[in-house]
Amino acid sequence: MSEAEFELYPAVDIRDGRAVRLTQGRADAATEYDDPVDAAMRFAATGTRWLHVVDLDAAFTGEPRNRHLIERIVDATG
């Protein structure tokens, strides 16, 4: 890549088994979306090469509860 080019890394944040978007990183200010695997597959279908996946349950509580969904995302998107 030249100096003027950059690459965006889309993210799928997962909380309680759902894809979410936090407002300013606040756990109490979330917008819920659909299945995180579906969200990841939509990014992959548009040619996304890299995807940032965040288990917010692990980040906020220290208890990873979405590993099965992360594994499904890897399986579904390669």
Side-chain angles (χ1 to χ4, degrees):
M1 277 189 229
S2 73
E3 193 173 314
E5 294 178 12
F6 61 93
E7 190 169 352
L8 295 176
Y9 292 75
V12 175
D13 296 348
I14 306 169
R15 185 176 74 178
D16 296 328
R18 305 288 297 162
V20 300
R21 183 184 56 167
L22 301 183
T23 302
Q24 297 181 343
R26 292 181 22 222
D28 63 342
T31 302
E32 285 196 13
Y33 294 96
D34 57 0
D35 177 56
V37 179
D38 290 341
M41 289 174 53
R42 281 195 304 277
F43 282 125
T46 65
T48 296
R49 297 180 329 148
W50 298 97
L51 184 64
H52 182 81
V53 181
V54 179
D55 182 343
L56 291 174
D57 294 312
F60 287 124
T61 69
E63 293 183 35
R65 289 185 271 169
N66 297 296
R67 183 181 203 114
H68 66 290
L69 291 170
I70 295 168
E71 290 171 352
R72 285 183 50 213
I73 288 170
V74 171
D75 290 343
T77 63

